[in-house]
Amino acid sequence: WRQEQRLLEVNVLALARLCHAIGTVMAGRGHGQILNVASIAAFQPGPWMSNYYASKAYVLHLSEGLREELRPYGVKVSVLCPGPTHSAFFRTAQLDASSFEQGKLMLSAEEVALIALQGLAKNRAIIIPGWRNRLLCLAPRFFPRFLVRRLVARLNRRFGRP
């Protein structure tokens, strides 16, 4: 539970506090730009990693809401939703990244950062690096929710969860 609690404190509580504090300052100045980092996980439930997926959904939804709330004050809000990225994430989450590394789904951190900067320059609300990742984010809309849950559960089990 301690590990799950820390995840929620960072992904939900710290984000909410920072956005409130920084958003208030930027709104007072009449300009600013906030970039939050969610994940493609934000677009579906994630059995065996439920708190992670749910926390990223929170980041996505908070960012979209704040975008509209802060727009009249000259503050732009965007959310980055990367897919698998070459980083310490997989090691920290104790997941097997070998399948992602062999395919073209995994981008480098530099590629993700460049795409994020391009998205910010275009004032995109949601920035999803890579066409495969964009497709993965759309797919849950076209399948029954029970099927999406089961597919994600199978994938998460395959990559290292129980």
Side-chain angles (χ1 to χ4, degrees), residues 3 9-10 30-32 34 42 55 60 66 68 71 98 101 103 133 135-136 144 151 155 160-162:
Q3 189 174 358
E9 286 171 351
V10 169
H31 64 89
I34 296 171
S55 71
L60 174 63
L66 289 177
E68 295 306 314
R71 185 169 36 142
S98 59
E101 289 169 347
N133 291 327
L135 187 63
L136 286 171
L151 287 172
L155 283 172
R161 290 299 174 190

Tab-separated table of all heavy atoms in Angstrom, residues 3 9-10 30-32 34 42 55 60 66 68 71 98 101 103 133 135-136 144 151 155 160-162:
chain	number	residue	atom	x	y	z
A	3	GLN	N	3.618	1.989	-1.468
A	3	GLN	CA	4.029	2.333	-2.827
A	3	GLN	C	2.847	2.914	-3.624
A	3	GLN	O	2.994	3.905	-4.334
A	3	GLN	CB	4.581	1.097	-3.526
A	3	GLN	CG	5.225	1.368	-4.854
A	3	GLN	CD	5.875	0.122	-5.429
A	3	GLN	OE1	5.891	-0.942	-4.838
A	3	GLN	NE2	6.415	0.260	-6.618
A	9	GLU	N	-0.140	10.124	-4.265
A	9	GLU	CA	0.251	11.434	-3.738
A	9	GLU	C	0.966	12.267	-4.797
A	9	GLU	O	0.734	13.470	-4.906
A	9	GLU	CB	1.139	11.270	-2.501
A	9	GLU	CG	0.357	10.824	-1.277
A	9	GLU	CD	1.232	10.441	-0.094
A	9	GLU	OE1	2.479	10.347	-0.254
A	9	GLU	OE2	0.668	10.224	0.990
A	10	VAL	N	1.805	11.630	-5.605
A	10	VAL	CA	2.529	12.352	-6.656
A	10	VAL	C	1.617	12.653	-7.837
A	10	VAL	O	1.519	13.798	-8.288
A	10	VAL	CB	3.765	11.547	-7.126
A	10	VAL	CG1	4.367	12.156	-8.385
A	10	VAL	CG2	4.799	11.481	-6.018
A	30	GLY	N	-2.064	36.998	-16.267
A	30	GLY	CA	-2.734	37.072	-17.565
A	30	GLY	C	-2.106	36.244	-18.657
A	30	GLY	O	-2.453	36.387	-19.829
A	31	HIS	N	-1.177	35.369	-18.292
A	31	HIS	CA	-0.559	34.482	-19.289
A	31	HIS	C	0.183	33.351	-18.595
A	31	HIS	O	0.488	33.420	-17.402
A	31	HIS	CB	0.402	35.256	-20.204
A	31	HIS	CG	1.589	35.825	-19.472
A	31	HIS	ND1	2.743	35.127	-19.289
A	31	HIS	CD2	1.764	37.025	-18.860
A	31	HIS	CE1	3.603	35.870	-18.607
A	31	HIS	NE2	3.027	37.036	-18.326
A	32	GLY	N	0.470	32.336	-19.365
A	32	GLY	CA	1.234	31.204	-18.867
A	32	GLY	C	0.871	29.937	-19.619
A	32	GLY	O	-0.089	29.916	-20.402
A	34	ILE	N	0.887	25.560	-18.941
A	34	ILE	CA	1.095	24.408	-18.070
A	34	ILE	C	1.101	23.152	-18.927
A	34	ILE	O	0.219	22.983	-19.774
A	34	ILE	CB	-0.017	24.304	-17.002
A	34	ILE	CG1	0.010	25.510	-16.066
A	34	ILE	CG2	0.097	23.001	-16.217
A	34	ILE	CD1	-1.186	25.599	-15.121
A	42	ALA	N	-4.195	6.601	-19.526
A	42	ALA	CA	-5.314	7.420	-19.054
A	42	ALA	C	-6.610	7.152	-19.804
A	42	ALA	O	-7.678	7.533	-19.338
A	42	ALA	CB	-4.964	8.904	-19.201
A	55	SER	N	-4.809	7.155	-11.859
A	55	SER	CA	-4.148	8.425	-11.567
A	55	SER	C	-3.824	9.174	-12.854
A	55	SER	O	-3.894	10.405	-12.898
A	55	SER	CB	-2.891	8.215	-10.726
A	55	SER	OG	-1.851	7.610	-11.468
A	60	LEU	N	-5.236	13.519	-16.984
A	60	LEU	CA	-5.855	13.876	-18.258
A	60	LEU	C	-7.091	14.743	-18.048
A	60	LEU	O	-7.226	15.826	-18.621
A	60	LEU	CB	-6.217	12.613	-19.041
A	60	LEU	CG	-7.013	12.797	-20.334
A	60	LEU	CD1	-6.226	13.596	-21.359
A	60	LEU	CD2	-7.434	11.440	-20.886
A	66	LEU	N	-8.935	22.196	-16.510
A	66	LEU	CA	-8.202	23.435	-16.252
A	66	LEU	C	-7.975	24.233	-17.529
A	66	LEU	O	-7.956	25.474	-17.497
A	66	LEU	CB	-6.858	23.132	-15.592
A	66	LEU	CG	-6.910	22.655	-14.147
A	66	LEU	CD1	-5.515	22.314	-13.649
A	66	LEU	CD2	-7.581	23.675	-13.248
A	68	GLU	N	-10.013	24.734	-19.902
A	68	GLU	CA	-11.195	25.578	-20.110
A	68	GLU	C	-11.334	26.629	-19.009
A	68	GLU	O	-11.694	27.773	-19.283
A	68	GLU	CB	-12.452	24.714	-20.203
A	68	GLU	CG	-12.463	23.798	-21.403
A	68	GLU	CD	-12.252	24.534	-22.729
A	68	GLU	OE1	-12.891	25.586	-22.947
A	68	GLU	OE2	-11.431	24.058	-23.541
A	71	ARG	N	-8.443	29.325	-19.547
A	71	ARG	CA	-8.372	29.978	-20.864
A	71	ARG	C	-8.775	31.454	-20.814
A	71	ARG	O	-8.073	32.300	-21.389
A	71	ARG	CB	-9.205	29.216	-21.885
A	71	ARG	CG	-9.062	29.790	-23.285
A	71	ARG	CD	-9.645	28.923	-24.345
A	71	ARG	NE	-10.851	28.239	-23.911
A	71	ARG	CZ	-11.905	28.028	-24.666
A	71	ARG	NH1	-11.924	28.452	-25.895
A	71	ARG	NH2	-12.955	27.386	-24.212
A	98	SER	N	10.972	-5.647	-22.829
A	98	SER	CA	11.629	-6.212	-24.003
A	98	SER	C	10.727	-6.258	-25.235
A	98	SER	O	11.179	-6.007	-26.348
A	98	SER	CB	12.190	-7.604	-23.698
A	98	SER	OG	11.149	-8.471	-23.281
A	101	GLU	N	10.579	-2.765	-26.649
A	101	GLU	CA	11.853	-2.324	-27.213
A	101	GLU	C	12.101	-2.921	-28.591
A	101	GLU	O	12.754	-2.308	-29.426
A	101	GLU	CB	12.989	-2.687	-26.248
A	101	GLU	CG	12.955	-1.831	-24.995
A	101	GLU	CD	13.887	-2.325	-23.905
A	101	GLU	OE1	14.384	-3.466	-24.006
A	101	GLU	OE2	14.120	-1.560	-22.955
A	103	GLY	N	9.738	-3.643	-30.826
A	103	GLY	CA	8.812	-3.042	-31.786
A	103	GLY	C	9.099	-1.571	-31.971
A	103	GLY	O	10.084	-1.032	-31.486
A	133	ASN	N	0.378	5.173	-30.811
A	133	ASN	CA	-0.157	5.538	-29.501
A	133	ASN	C	-1.501	6.241	-29.641
A	133	ASN	O	-2.416	6.015	-28.847
A	133	ASN	CB	0.834	6.421	-28.738
A	133	ASN	CG	2.072	5.659	-28.331
A	133	ASN	OD1	2.018	4.468	-28.039
A	133	ASN	ND2	3.208	6.333	-28.330
A	135	LEU	N	-3.643	5.752	-31.970
A	135	LEU	CA	-4.585	4.688	-32.301
A	135	LEU	C	-4.980	3.903	-31.046
A	135	LEU	O	-6.156	3.593	-30.837
A	135	LEU	CB	-3.973	3.753	-33.351
A	135	LEU	CG	-4.881	2.686	-33.923
A	135	LEU	CD1	-6.054	3.305	-34.664
A	135	LEU	CD2	-4.086	1.784	-34.865
A	136	LEU	N	-3.999	3.610	-30.189
A	136	LEU	CA	-4.286	2.895	-28.942
A	136	LEU	C	-5.225	3.690	-28.033
A	136	LEU	O	-6.020	3.115	-27.304
A	136	LEU	CB	-2.994	2.562	-28.192
A	136	LEU	CG	-2.153	1.435	-28.763
A	136	LEU	CD1	-0.797	1.367	-28.063
A	136	LEU	CD2	-2.881	0.106	-28.659
A	144	PRO	N	-16.439	-2.882	-26.435
A	144	PRO	CA	-17.162	-2.900	-25.152
A	144	PRO	C	-16.171	-2.790	-23.994
A	144	PRO	O	-15.063	-3.326	-24.050
A	144	PRO	CB	-17.846	-4.268	-25.143
A	144	PRO	CG	-17.797	-4.769	-26.537
A	144	PRO	CD	-16.639	-4.094	-27.208
A	151	LEU	N	-8.595	-7.197	-22.046
A	151	LEU	CA	-7.399	-7.107	-22.885
A	151	LEU	C	-6.248	-6.434	-22.138
A	151	LEU	O	-5.111	-6.892	-22.194
A	151	LEU	CB	-7.711	-6.350	-24.179
A	151	LEU	CG	-8.549	-7.090	-25.203
A	151	LEU	CD1	-8.950	-6.144	-26.340
A	151	LEU	CD2	-7.811	-8.302	-25.748
A	155	LEU	N	-2.577	-7.947	-21.077
A	155	LEU	CA	-1.316	-7.277	-21.414
A	155	LEU	C	-0.489	-6.993	-20.167
A	155	LEU	O	0.717	-7.229	-20.140
A	155	LEU	CB	-1.591	-5.970	-22.168
A	155	LEU	CG	-1.974	-6.095	-23.614
A	155	LEU	CD1	-2.402	-4.740	-24.178
A	155	LEU	CD2	-0.829	-6.666	-24.429
A	160	GLY	N	4.517	-8.474	-16.681
A	160	GLY	CA	5.121	-8.519	-15.363
A	160	GLY	C	4.218	-8.419	-14.175
A	160	GLY	O	4.650	-8.562	-13.056
A	161	ARG	N	2.945	-8.166	-14.366
A	161	ARG	CA	2.032	-8.111	-13.225
A	161	ARG	C	1.474	-9.499	-12.988
A	161	ARG	O	1.502	-10.338	-13.855
A	161	ARG	CB	0.915	-7.091	-13.480
A	161	ARG	CG	1.422	-5.655	-13.458
A	161	ARG	CD	1.993	-5.353	-12.122
A	161	ARG	NE	2.607	-4.038	-12.091
A	161	ARG	CZ	3.334	-3.629	-11.091
A	161	ARG	NH1	3.587	-4.378	-10.080
A	161	ARG	NH2	3.845	-2.434	-11.102
A	162	PRO	N	0.890	-9.748	-11.789
A	162	PRO	CA	0.438	-11.103	-11.416
A	162	PRO	C	-0.470	-11.766	-12.419
A	162	PRO	O	-1.226	-11.173	-13.106
A	162	PRO	CB	-0.313	-10.874	-10.107
A	162	PRO	CG	-0.055	-9.494	-9.673
A	162	PRO	CD	0.549	-8.748	-10.795
